Amino acid sequence: MKRSPLASVGLHAALVCASAVAVFPVFWVLVTSFKPDARAVSSRLLDESTVDNYVRVLSGEKGDFLAWTANSVSIALATTVLAVFLSATAAYAASRFRFAGRRVLLRSFLLVQMFPFAVLIVPLYNVLLALGLQGSSFGLVLVYCTTAVPFCTYMLKGYFDTVPAEIDEAGRVDGLSPFGVFWRLIVPLSRPGLAVTGFYAFLTAWGEVAFASALLSASDESKTLAVGLQVFVQQNRTEWGHLAAASVLVALPAVALFYPVQRYLVTGLSSGAVKG
Amino acid sequence: MVLPVVLVVAVLVLFPLGQGVLFTFTDVDEGTIANPVLGRPATYEWVGLRNYAGILSGDPGYGAFWGTLGRTMVWTFGCVLCHYALGLGLALLLNRQVRGRAVYRALLILPWAVPAFVSAFAWRHLLNARYGIVNQVLRALGLPDPVWLGQSDWALVAVMVVNVWLGTPFMMVALLGGLQSIPTTLYEAAEVDGASPWQRFRHVTLPGLRAVSGTVVLLGVIWTFNMFAVVYLITGANPNTRLLVTYAFERFFSAASRDYAVASTYGVLILSVLLVFAAAYRRALREEAA
């Protein structure tokens, strides 16, 4: 199909406008992060810009930023690994085996999405207390898994359904155990789907605020970034410059992880959604 | 292999869920809940359906349920409609042969990649009534510059704009995947038959997207209905942006007494509303398919 030049201009104009809207808030935070707090509210693009905010945030002058980062990284990575492993095995089982309660299981995963998790904080706290995990980051990882695993399982099941069952049979004939088939054949074939679920689990844990502030112990060293950043928002006054610099530092790993994954997002997400 | 998940889900979801449901029939709050750390036993009592009666009567002391439900509906359907329309529009644009497609896609996905609380800070900065860039631009153009995040309906508009900004990339990506799974031969056949672009969209694209649309719209409604972080981080306990889920959280944390019973009751009511919606939605989809 040939497009008229006018249509081409229109197409690009629409895409440029949409991209500008998508990028501008993030760009503005980046610009603000270089301004001193007092100038952070000015609308000039560069206003006495320096890297002082970054230096102060990273040096720990404004709270233990590096410790928060370490906590966030370890919690998010643990959540990702655990959630992907749990949801992949469950999704594989749900995709390939017929067992009692299979439909109920899949239905209940959707149900879990419907219940507002914010309301479960106290009962969850009780559970963690009973397990001796209150205030620990592992407890938080488990809680994040309960939000991430149902959705990931749902998506991965759809993905595994698209992998032909003949591959499993061939693997069994070659003497692999069911887990062997899953691990040696299905996992490598499903990398896009796994990348998407892993990414989803990572972001769930990386940006979560309510549970992290409620369930982690109150000491400064055990906070995650999402909780720690609250120190820049005081009652009457927000240290915008510092907050922006810290925000950029928080967003960078998420964005850096996102871009290698994004080309898989389209296929991973849609095959899950189509077959789910 | 499914066992570990079932175990984790049972311990960390079903048990808390059960306990949460039990709470709805009691008057449990911070003063009466069992506190193993202090070695204090539970002293809360059964109150039967009192919480439900209080909430469903619309009593302002219980969060003026019906008004809040209405606002939550406006919020949910407004957001999901915009998500879907914008996501579909952008997906259609991106599905064409256009130079720099990968760059556009990467830029358009950006809001999704940034953690929600960072976006919330960014938008609070942009929308600040006095020095936010949005109002500075509006003033420069001689237009009215409302107090976006104050005690007026503008606050709800503002959080909806932010949520649309946040949620559109997900829809766009999902629908783009759906578009790419439609065989091009269908379009060619339609063109040979002399179908106009609108007819091709109406009779090839939309049916081809049915499965994806059905799932993402349902998920979108569920997520938006329960969206907590965006609203809470941007406007806090502002009654003009109060949704069912943020009010539950308010009862839970900000209120002096930490009223767990009423918060849990809200949780159960939210679940019921969504269950009814999901059942009706599935039936509608099935009937449309038949």
Side-chain angles (χ1 to χ4, degrees):
Chain A
M1 258 193 297
K2 260 322 245 175
R3 233 190 342 255
S4 71
L6 200 67
S8 273
V9 171
L11 181 63
H12 278 280
L15 284 171
V16 167
C17 284
S19 304
V21 173
V23 172
F24 184 76
V26 181
F27 169 74
W28 200 246
V29 170
L30 192 66
V31 169
T32 307
S33 70
F34 291 107
K35 298 178 191 170
D37 280 339
R39 317 292 307 167
V41 297
S42 91
S43 57
R44 293 236 294 278
L45 207 55
L46 297 172
D47 202 343
E48 299 176 21
S49 298
T50 61
V51 292
D52 282 0
N53 292 328
Y54 287 94
V55 173
R56 273 198 223 115
V57 167
L58 285 173
S59 69
E61 192 181 306
K62 294 277 173 182
D64 207 343
F65 192 81
L66 295 177
W68 301 339
T69 310
N71 291 333
S72 279
V73 168
S74 56
I75 289 174
L77 284 183
T79 306
T80 309
V81 171
L82 196 62
V84 169
F85 181 75
L86 286 176
S87 52
T89 48
Y92 181 67
S95 166
R96 288 308 198 286
F97 307 118
R98 302 283 165 268
F99 52 88
R102 175 173 161 276
R103 280 181 69 85
V104 177
L105 186 77
L106 287 171
R107 282 277 166 85
S108 70
F109 283 161
L110 200 62
L111 195 89
V112 169
Q113 301 274 321
M114 293 187 198
F115 198 87
F117 246 68
V119 173
L120 289 181
I121 291 182
V122 165
L124 273 171
Y125 182 76
N126 288 345
V127 171
L128 294 183
L129 207 60
L131 295 171
L133 290 172
Q134 79 278 16
S136 79
S137 25
F138 186 65
L140 196 61
V141 168
L142 283 182
V143 170
Y144 288 157
C145 279
T146 58
T147 42
V149 164
F151 178 70
C152 293
T153 309
Y154 213 73
M155 239 169 40
L156 275 176
K157 186 206 165 265
Y159 202 88
F160 290 151
D161 285 347
T162 64
V163 178
E166 286 81 42
I167 292 181
D168 299 47
E169 284 155 25
R172 295 305 296 274
V173 170
D174 289 343
L176 286 172
S177 67
F179 189 80
V181 170
F182 166 72
W183 190 249
R184 314 269 290 274
L185 300 177
I186 305 298
V187 165
L189 280 173
S190 310
R191 261 191 231 121
L194 293 170
V196 177
T197 44
F199 169 72
Y200 178 83
F202 183 87
L203 270 200
T204 305
W206 187 253
E208 204 280 337
V209 185
F211 281 103
S213 41
L215 295 179
L216 283 176
S217 66
S219 71
D220 199 46
E221 310 84 70
S222 74
K223 284 178 181 163
T224 61
L225 286 167
V227 180
L229 251 57
Q230 310 287 342
V231 300
F232 300 113
V233 190
Q234 255 93 42
Q235 203 68 44
N236 306 312
R237 183 171 79 87
T238 304
E239 299 175 15
W240 285 115
H242 287 95
L243 181 61
S247 299
V248 170
L249 291 172
V250 173
L252 271 181
V255 175
L257 192 77
F258 190 87
Y259 278 96
V261 173
Q262 58 122 352
R263 68 197 173 95
Y264 293 128
L265 280 174
V266 177
T267 44
L269 199 66
S270 60
S271 64
V274 173
K275 309 286 154 102
Chain B
M1 269 161 54
V2 77
L3 201 67
V5 182
V6 174
L7 271 180
V8 170
V9 170
V11 172
L12 282 164
V13 177
L14 294 182
F15 179 75
L17 205 65
Q19 200 173 24
V21 172
L22 278 183
F23 280 172
T24 65
F25 302 110
T26 66
D27 63 353
V28 61
D29 61 23
E30 182 157 68
T32 55
I33 197 169
N35 190 330
V37 178
L38 301 176
R40 189 187 64 200
T43 53
Y44 56 84
E45 285 169 0
W46 283 87
V47 296
L49 293 173
R50 198 181 73 189
N51 294 321
Y52 289 95
I55 291 173
L56 292 176
S57 72
D59 186 341
Y62 283 91
F65 178 78
W66 299 105
T68 310
L69 178 66
R71 193 177 305 113
T72 309
M73 294 286 189
V74 170
W75 152 266
T76 306
F77 291 106
C79 284
V80 174
L81 196 71
C82 292
H83 282 154
Y84 188 81
L86 288 173
L88 181 60
L90 292 172
L92 286 170
L93 294 180
L94 281 180
N95 198 36
R96 297 170 178 230
Q97 295 297 332
V98 48
R99 199 171 301 154
R101 184 162 70 167
V103 178
Y104 284 127
R105 195 180 63 191
L107 294 177
L108 287 168
I109 287 181
L110 189 68
W112 191 9
V114 176
F117 70 94
V118 172
S119 306
F121 291 144
W123 279 96
R124 270 184 27 195
H125 189 49
L126 294 176
L127 291 173
N128 187 289
R130 249 184 324 127
Y131 49 73
I133 189 79
V134 172
N135 277 11
Q136 291 190 17
V137 170
L138 288 178
R139 272 197 293 268
L141 295 173
L143 295 167
D145 52 335
V147 180
W148 291 104
L149 304 177
Q151 306 286 325
S152 75
D153 286 337
W154 284 117
L156 187 63
V157 174
V159 285
M160 281 172 76
V161 167
V162 176
N163 193 46
V164 167
W165 180 82
L166 268 174
T168 300
F170 170 80
M171 284 287 186
M172 182 187 83
V173 168
L175 292 172
L176 187 57
L179 286 177
Q180 288 175 354
S181 70
I182 301 174
T184 47
T185 48
L186 283 181
Y187 286 104
E188 285 156 15
E191 218 177 348
V192 169
D193 289 344
S196 68
W198 168 249
Q199 283 171 323
R200 289 200 294 269
F201 175 73
R202 180 77 188 70
H203 297 289
V204 180
T205 308
L206 284 184
L209 285 177
R210 265 188 51 107
V212 186
S213 301
T215 312
V216 292
V217 168
L218 180 61
L219 274 178
V221 167
I222 293 173
W223 286 343
T224 312
F225 203 89
N226 278 335
M227 174 54 77
F228 158 81
V230 174
V231 181
Y232 208 79
L233 289 173
I234 291 183
T235 58
N238 184 340
N240 291 91
T241 57
R242 178 183 284 165
L243 308 178
L244 293 178
V245 58
T246 57
Y247 183 70
F249 194 77
E250 256 176 65
R251 282 303 273 240
F252 216 102
F253 269 103
S254 331
S257 67
R258 298 205 166 195
D259 197 336
Y260 301 142
V262 171
S264 303
T265 313
Y266 263 93
V268 170
L269 289 171
I270 290 170
L271 179 66
S272 323
V273 171
L274 284 174
L275 276 179
V276 170
F277 170 79
Y281 181 81
R282 285 187 160 230
R283 171 163 306 176
L285 274 190
R286 250 203 312 276
E287 268 166 20
E288 198 192 314

